[in-house]
Amino acid sequence: MSAPVIDLKLRFRPGFHTEMQAGYEKLQFAFSQQAAKTIDPYVPFDTGVLKNSVIQASDFKGGKLVYNTPYARKQYYLHDAGTDLRGDTGLRGSYWGQRAIAEHKDELEKFAHLAAQRYLGGET
């Protein structure tokens, strides 16, 4: 005697996955750009080349922010926040990404939630 089987496989209408994937990609792109904007005041500033490199070097669709200058790595580990930096806002310094995200976590979560509603649907 065979065991009873209950088939509970979810089936979506044709095209659903493609639509959701497109929405997710828009969501990821928007969130990456918002994170870059949030991090911007934390990036060490002399001429602006380092902080602006994120625009060209990043993969916003893939969720990767890249600061691509020959000295980016050194700057990432070199300075204490708010010390010896031109254009100092009191925020600029080492570990700019982690510090900005830690200080603005709630705002970024809210942005992601609202963006998910916009791009993936759901209640507003």
Side-chain angles (χ1 to χ4, degrees):
M1 175 179 268
S2 64
V5 175
I6 301 170
D7 186 5
L8 295 175
K9 185 183 286 186
L10 294 172
R11 292 181 179 90
F12 297 99
R13 65 175 164 69
F16 176 79
H17 177 75
T18 302
E19 290 170 15
M20 291 304 290
Q21 184 63 32
Y24 173 78
E25 289 172 2
K26 290 176 184 176
L27 167 61
Q28 181 64 66
F29 187 85
F31 183 73
S32 296
Q33 286 191 319
Q34 182 65 31
K37 185 191 295 186
T38 300
I39 294 167
D40 187 76
Y42 291 76
V43 180
F45 183 90
D46 184 13
T47 64
V49 173
L50 173 60
K51 78 176 199 75
N52 293 333
S53 71
V54 73
I55 296 165
Q56 297 299 320
S58 294
D59 174 12
F60 292 111
K61 285 183 182 178
K64 288 188 176 189
L65 301 181
V66 179
Y67 294 84
N68 188 19
T69 65
Y71 48 86
R73 183 177 177 84
K74 183 177 181 181
Q75 291 296 316
Y76 198 76
Y77 298 106
L78 180 65
H79 299 291
D80 292 330
T83 60
D84 194 29
L85 301 169
R86 292 186 189 172
D88 181 27
T89 61
L91 301 175
R92 299 190 186 281
S94 299
Y95 300 98
W96 58 80
Q98 284 87 340
R99 290 185 302 105
I101 290 169
E103 291 178 22
H104 297 278
K105 179 181 176 186
D106 292 342
E107 296 161 40
L108 289 169
E109 285 180 358
K110 183 176 180 178
F111 179 90
H113 177 78
L114 294 173
Q117 288 177 340
R118 177 178 178 188
Y119 296 115
L120 301 177
E123 295 180 20
T124 56

